[in-house]
Amino acid sequence: MFDTATTQVIEPVPPQPPARRRTRGLRVLFTGLLTLLLGGTALVAIEPLRRPLPAPTVTQTLPASTIIPGTAPAVPWPETGQAALSVEGLGSLGTSGGSNPVPIASVTKVMTAYVILTEHPLDRGEHGPKLTVSAEQAAAYPRELARGESLVAVVAGAVFTERQALQAVLLPSANNMARILAAWDAGSVEAFVAKMNRTAAALGMTDTHYTDPSGLDPDTVSTAVDQVILARKAMQLPAFAEIVAQKKATLPVAGTVRNYNSLVGRDGVVGIKTGSTDEAGGCLVFAAVVKVGGRRITIVGAVLGQPGANTPVQLDRVFRATRPLVRTAAAAITEHPIVRAGDQVATVRGPLGTGTTINAAKDLTVVGWPGMRVRLDVDIPAVPTRLPAEAEHGRVSAVAGEGTPVATALRTGVGLEPPSTWDRIRQHR
């Protein structure tokens, strides 16, 4: 017989998952987290690089104006009468004696000549058209002479060129030739006087009124200021400036005549016109030329109402009053450096602390006198983020008084560079 035994059944246990699978999962998780972290950091770093850099800002450090240093010139004005003094292209040195219209005697002939030359222009040296003295004009000469007028000898049928007639008016101050010229131009003296007054109004001579072309009539009145306005315009006419600078001329019938203005040729004086009557006293409108820094500067002035018993005394006194004015103005006009080469004109502030300066490339020098205001104008284009050192960028100009602007270029100081990538990232951390 066989023994019977009981059999025990053991259930199988499933194996554990491999350890490497768990490690791989952790690695994937870690890699994902790291990717997210690095991606976020990259986004943070790239974000400021996407933003455009702000444009550099410019701050002007040069003032808008300045005053020429030193003591303003003390002008020796005459004790009596009126006076005005001006420098062409710069402005007025002042006036004295008020602004009431007063008789101006033969200074009137400046307007007579100005109207003739604007109606019948002449170049330097040109004689122009001819005019013939009529029998009536010649017959008036003895009567005019008996009145003690300033004249040139004429006869019926005498022929004068326009230049010769103007020489007679402006040098020996011929009243009769002023009337002859007036009738030649306008048909009558009255019509010509109307032209004179229209011209005065057009020039802004608000305190001037003409009643005759010679100035013999005391009702012809003006002011020193108005006569300077006219003189400045007249001196721009080549033939006028040429004639008033002459000391003498040769005319038909009269022969050689001399300029009553004895200042011509002294102290740079180049004209313009004398005048004297009992009512007007001694009068002079004058121009003088000085050279400053290679430039020719014209001084223009007027002195009216200098006392005296007769023409020689009146003219002597007006000459004595005028010479100090001319000398003072000539001495006062000099060159003045307003901006020096290398002077800072502006600062430039770029993004993230970058920057440079903008400086004058050369000296900027004006002509004027102490106490005169000088206007300064700076023109600087928009500044890019990159600009080399010593690069030309803009201009600065200066204007003294009423003068013409002078200018020089501007240059950068150190180079202007945009901030680096690292600086831009670090700035926004």
Side-chain angles (χ1 to χ4, degrees):
M1 286 189 68
F2 293 93
D3 290 333
T4 302
T6 303
T7 303
Q8 183 178 3
V9 179
I10 301 173
E11 293 294 330
V13 177
Q16 293 292 326
R20 55 189 180 89
R21 289 184 180 178
R22 189 164 56 247
T23 303
R24 185 172 58 186
L26 291 173
R27 185 184 300 121
V28 169
L29 177 61
F30 177 76
T31 301
L33 291 173
L34 182 61
T35 300
L36 289 173
L37 178 63
L38 291 176
T41 303
L43 288 174
V44 171
I46 292 172
E47 180 58 27
L49 299 181
R50 292 176 175 173
R51 301 172 187 169
L53 289 171
T57 58
V58 178
T59 302
Q60 182 175 322
T61 55
L62 191 72
S65 67
T66 187
I67 300 293
I68 295 177
T71 303
V75 180
W77 299 111
E79 295 180 359
T80 60
Q82 289 185 22
L85 191 59
S86 179
V87 180
E88 194 65 24
L90 291 178
S92 173
L93 272 166
T95 64
S96 71
S99 57
N100 291 328
V102 294
I104 58 173
S106 288
V107 164
T108 299
K109 297 183 176 78
V110 175
M111 178 61 86
T112 301
Y114 181 76
V115 172
I116 291 293
L117 282 169
T118 52
E119 296 279 340
H120 314 276
L122 295 178
D123 288 332
R124 287 184 175 273
E126 184 182 4
H127 271 268
K130 297 178 180 179
L131 56 134
T132 301
V133 178
S134 69
E136 181 182 1
Q137 291 165 341
Y141 177 72
R143 299 192 301 273
E144 296 163 340
L145 190 62
R147 290 197 297 264
E149 291 192 46
S150 178
L151 308 166
V152 291
V154 295
V155 295
V159 176
F160 287 75
T161 65
E162 180 185 341
R163 173 176 292 272
Q164 290 170 332
L166 289 169
Q167 287 172 324
V169 167
L170 294 170
L171 303 185
S173 200
N175 291 352
N176 57 339
M177 191 55 68
R179 291 186 283 263
I180 291 170
L181 267 174
W184 171 74
D185 171 77
S188 70
V189 170
E190 293 74 20
F192 187 81
V193 169
K195 276 189 180 184
M196 295 171 73
N197 284 311
R198 286 196 298 271
T199 303
L203 293 178
M205 300 168 63
T206 56
D207 294 313
T208 298
H209 180 69
Y210 294 101
T211 60
D212 73 319
S214 70
L216 182 64
D217 186 349
D219 289 335
T220 287
V221 294
S222 186
T223 63
V225 170
D226 276 5
Q227 288 305 304
V228 167
I229 292 172
L230 174 60
R232 292 175 60 186
K233 295 291 291 185
M235 289 297 287
Q236 294 174 11
L237 303 177
F240 181 92
E242 184 182 26
I243 291 171
V244 297
Q246 294 177 324
K247 293 185 177 182
K248 60 182 180 180
T250 301
L251 304 178
V253 185
T256 299
V257 295
R258 299 190 179 278
N259 193 338
Y260 276 179
N261 186 359
S262 63
L263 293 188
V264 169
R266 302 162 65 184
D267 298 320
V269 174
V270 292
I272 298 177
K273 186 71 191 75
T274 60
S276 63
T277 62
D278 291 343
E279 297 85 359
C283 302
L284 179 68
V285 176
F286 60 90
V289 174
V290 295
K291 291 184 179 180
V292 181
R295 293 174 53 187
R296 287 170 57 89
I297 307 293
T298 302
I299 301 163
V300 180
V303 177
L304 307 177
Q306 297 308 293
N310 52 47
T311 291
V313 175
Q314 292 164 352
L315 293 184
D316 178 68
R317 288 183 176 172
V318 80
F319 294 151
R320 281 192 287 162
T322 297
R323 294 189 73 183
L325 298 181
V326 172
R327 291 173 176 176
T328 297
I333 306 167
T334 54
E335 289 187 303
H336 299 272
I338 297 300
V339 178
R340 296 284 191 179
D343 281 356
Q344 181 178 296
V345 172
T347 58
V348 178
R349 182 177 176 82
L352 306 186
T354 59
T356 186
T357 59
I358 294 183
N359 314 311
K362 297 180 180 179
D363 289 352
L364 193 57
T365 301
V366 299
V367 173
W369 52 81
M372 174 177 281
R373 182 168 294 277
V374 180
R375 190 179 77 246
L376 297 168
D377 295 313
V378 177
D379 180 18
I380 301 176
V383 177
T385 55
R386 177 176 280 108
L387 197 59
E390 296 296 317
E392 184 172 318
H393 198 79
R395 297 181 71 78
V396 57
S397 63
V399 182
E402 302 170 2
T404 302
V406 293
T408 186
L410 297 175
R411 296 188 187 279
T412 55
V414 299
L416 181 66
E417 295 288 339
S420 67
T421 300
W422 173 243
D423 286 338
R424 295 178 66 182
I425 293 172
R426 186 177 59 180
Q427 181 71 19
H428 290 84
R429 288 179 60 182

